[in-house]
Amino acid sequence: MGPRRIVCLTEEPCETLYALGEQDRIVGISGFTVRPPQARREKPKVAAFTSARIDQILALKPDLAIGFSDIQADIAAALVKAGVEVWIANHRSVEGIVDYVRRLGALVGCAAKAEAYADALERGLETAQAQGAQLPRRPKVYSEEWDTPIITGIQWVAELIGIAGGEDIFPELSREPLARGRILADGAPVIARAPDIILGAWCGKRFRPEHVAARPGWDAIPAVRDGELHEIKSPLILQPGPAALTDGLQAIVAIIHAWSARQR
């Protein structure tokens, strides 16, 4: 049977459980949840990302709370002290996201459905990678998840760029699991690496390409010169769940393939 009353402290367990047809197990969600849209209408919002309404969560009598990363450690500790079982996933890669789907399915007693769903996600990745491999040239891509300070893209975003046919310009920084490890002191490294495409997914606010283009010296960057500054909505790409491997990946694919078509 598995747990019957689950609180999702972040979006990815919510989206995954809906995709598996197990949404009736969910009794509370994060206020940042946008996928699937019906979750916001159907489920009470009891958490943000770095904070949660512990009393409201306990009132829901959950038998499991699911969250993500060290950032939610304090929330997890409070719930554990109150007697709630908690699973905090901490994956950072595309492979980790697929494995997360399988583990979550097994945890709630629907391993077969989760395996089939994970297999479908992998097929989508393989298709995108095969299409990306056909591009005559792989563009250099800079991904930015915050503007002040400048924070470069996390590992799964860098990997999705590679799958889509591009080359992330900060592969060494993408391996840094915490955002503070991906902070740039200034924009000079971006200028030096001369990306062909800039992807902006600012967490929780709208990407402003005109502000990026106006940064000192950035007019020399090919992406700025050619107007290749593109927003990808943060819920599509910054949550390590199905969205990133589906709509998020397809958004990156569309941008890279359109860029490639303009080079002919």
Side-chain angles (χ1 to χ4, degrees):
M1 290 290 290
R4 303 299 303 174
R5 299 185 63 79
I6 299 174
V7 169
C8 298
L9 300 171
T10 53
E11 182 175 80
E12 61 276 359
C14 179
E15 183 178 15
T16 302
L17 289 170
Y18 268 86
L20 298 177
E22 299 292 332
Q23 62 270 20
D24 288 349
R25 298 175 186 267
I26 301 172
V27 295
I29 63 172
S30 163
F32 289 115
T33 298
V34 296
R35 292 170 64 95
Q38 62 265 40
R40 292 187 65 83
R41 300 190 296 268
E42 297 172 349
K43 308 295 182 180
K45 304 169 192 65
V46 294
F49 190 49
T50 58
S51 63
R53 302 183 181 100
I54 301 298
D55 57 337
Q56 292 186 23
I57 292 175
L58 297 178
L60 295 171
K61 302 187 184 309
D63 50 15
L64 179 65
I66 304 174
F68 174 74
S69 91
D70 47 284
I71 295 176
Q72 294 196 313
D74 290 343
I75 300 171
L79 291 173
V80 169
K81 288 177 182 178
V84 179
E85 186 172 346
V86 178
W87 178 35
I88 297 294
N90 212 21
H91 52 288
R92 294 293 199 282
S93 66
V94 167
E95 181 182 6
I97 295 172
V98 176
D99 184 57
Y100 172 82
V101 169
R102 293 190 169 106
R103 287 189 293 154
L104 178 54
L107 187 63
V108 302
C110 61
K113 286 194 291 186
E115 188 69 31
Y117 183 47
D119 288 348
L121 292 173
E122 288 183 324
R123 287 194 297 272
L125 293 168
E126 290 165 0
T127 297
Q129 190 160 32
Q131 293 171 343
Q134 300 302 312
L135 297 178
R137 177 183 157 212
R138 296 177 71 86
K140 294 187 293 182
V141 182
Y142 167 58
S143 172
E144 184 174 289
E145 66 180 54
W146 195 247
D147 59 331
T148 50
I150 295 173
I151 301 177
T152 64
I154 200 167
Q155 182 177 348
W156 70 79
V157 176
E159 291 175 349
L160 290 174
I161 287 169
I163 289 169
E167 296 286 351
D168 183 84
I169 67 168
F170 290 113
E172 74 283 5
L173 292 183
S174 74
R175 270 33 179 206
E176 293 288 337
L178 304 181
R180 63 174 175 265
R182 291 178 275 113
I183 292 175
L184 298 181
D186 55 48
V190 183
I191 298 171
R193 300 193 187 195
D196 301 296
I197 297 171
I198 293 175
L199 302 180
W202 292 351
C203 187
K205 67 178 181 181
R206 184 165 64 91
F207 177 60
R208 301 297 295 270
E210 69 277 13
H211 292 179
V212 173
R215 291 172 182 167
W218 283 47
D219 56 341
I221 296 174
V224 174
R225 180 195 65 211
D226 300 335
E228 295 285 355
L229 294 90
H230 305 275
E231 179 177 28
I232 298 180
K233 299 294 186 183
S234 58
L236 294 186
I237 205 69
L238 293 188
Q239 60 106 330
L245 306 191
T246 54
D247 292 351
L249 173 59
Q250 287 308 309
I252 298 173
V253 166
I255 290 166
I256 288 178
H257 283 249
W259 173 90
S260 182
R262 287 191 285 272
Q263 306 311 302
R264 297 169 184 168

